Amino acid sequence: MKQPFSATLTGSDSPITGIVKQTSSFGSKDTWQFNSIDDSLHLVIAKDENGRWQRITGTEPYLSGWTDELAQQINKHS
């Protein structure tokens, strides 16, 4: 598994900083979990069978751009 790293997502009011780690909790080697420092946001994404990043689960409300934003940061660190 890859090392956890710090990431920032664009929030509706301000940036949301958190830690991203690879996880096997959802049965995929490409599953990644973002947990915000203030514990207000949790997001899990993974690649689908076509290699596109999809949201698996997470807190609500959810901004659809977060999946792409997180995927870009994961790709940069991989």
Side-chain angles (χ1 to χ4, degrees):
M1 286 215 201
K2 309 268 188 210
Q3 291 293 321
F5 63 92
S6 178
T8 302
L9 299 178
T10 305
S12 57
D13 296 328
S14 61
I16 303 168
T17 303
I19 302 296
V20 178
K21 66 179 181 175
Q22 190 174 22
T23 179
S24 59
S25 300
F26 295 90
S28 170
K29 69 177 184 168
D30 289 324
T31 302
W32 294 82
Q33 181 173 351
F34 173 89
N35 290 311
S36 65
I37 300 296
D38 67 1
D39 208 32
S40 65
L41 175 64
H42 303 281
L43 176 63
V44 178
I45 66 173
K47 288 184 178 181
D48 66 12
E49 60 276 353
N50 297 316
R52 292 183 297 241
W53 289 97
Q54 301 289 318
R55 177 178 184 251
I56 303 300
T57 189
T59 52
E60 296 290 341
Y62 166 74
L63 297 179
S64 61
W66 285 340
T67 300
D68 292 336
E69 203 172 340
L70 183 54
Q72 288 174 355
Q73 293 181 57
I74 291 167
N75 289 334
K76 189 162 85 171
H77 279 76
S78 294

